[in-house]
Amino acid sequence: LIAGPTDQAAARQIAEAVEGCLFTANTTLRQSSAILAECSLFVGNDSGPMHLAAAAGTPTIEISCHPLSGEETHSNSPVRFGPWCAQKAIVRPEAKEPACRLQCVSEDAHCIETITPEKVLSVVLRLQRSDNETMTASEHNDQNVDDERSIEKR
């Protein structure tokens, strides 16, 4: 786990609870890049570390706040700013309220909270399974995984 100053306490709790999980904080950009390049998988939100992992060629799963029905040109759209790497998956929520159909409009992160850990784990397992093959649309066509930019090889 790589964490910034505001996420260190939560990251420490996760690292202590997960066997084999390593935690680091206060790394430089170069150090973070080197760590992410050695990872077998990155799972996280749309962030600098996500883009560093993707740029290093690390298989990447983005947990996006942007609803599946959201505008592709929106600044949170993973279609526009998602990970750019050979193996990726983008997990997006359904709009929690009608007002969030084009973009999540709440002050708090309520749409993204509908993505369960079990959902993310299922995408992790599918991405790992697809390591040497391209998945067909029917294998990953699921209501919370982007159809167009999901698990693919370039």
Side-chain angles (χ1 to χ4, degrees):
L1 292 172
I2 294 177
T6 60
D7 299 321
Q8 289 182 17
R12 272 198 182 80
Q13 285 182 326
I14 293 168
E16 290 169 4
V18 177
E19 184 178 334
C21 184
L22 302 174
F23 167 69
T24 185
N26 303 318
T27 57
T28 66
L29 185 61
R30 186 169 288 176
Q31 290 167 330
S32 294
S33 295
I35 291 166
L36 292 165
E38 294 299 316
C39 292
S40 59
L41 177 67
F42 175 90
V43 179
N45 64 324
D46 181 8
S47 61
M50 181 203 70
H51 291 287
L52 289 172
T58 301
T60 301
I61 298 174
E62 175 187 352
I63 303 170
S64 175
C65 66
H66 196 61
L68 281 167
S69 58
E71 296 174 323
E72 290 186 3
T73 57
H74 189 273
S75 61
N76 285 335
S77 173
V79 172
R80 189 171 174 197
F81 295 112
W84 191 256
C85 57
Q87 287 188 286
K88 64 176 169 280
I90 300 166
V91 185
R92 297 171 67 180
E94 293 288 335
K96 190 168 180 179
E97 299 174 5
C100 295
R101 191 178 64 72
L102 298 179
Q103 64 188 18
C104 186
V105 295
S106 178
E107 297 269 333
D108 61 326
H110 72 278
C111 287
I112 198 171
E113 289 177 347
T114 65
I115 298 173
T116 65
E118 294 79 17
K119 175 68 204 161
V120 175
L121 178 59
S122 75
V123 175
V124 166
L125 295 174
R126 284 190 251 172
L127 187 64
Q128 289 175 334
R129 189 177 72 228
S130 74
D131 191 26
N132 294 316
E133 61 189 64
T134 301
M135 293 181 67
T136 64
S138 62
E139 284 183 286
H140 73 273
N141 188 8
D142 170 309
Q143 68 179 358
N144 295 91
V145 178
D146 260 357
D147 294 340
E148 297 299 317
R149 296 179 43 97
S150 196
I151 301 166
E152 62 186 50
K153 293 236 180 208
R154 288 186 203 215

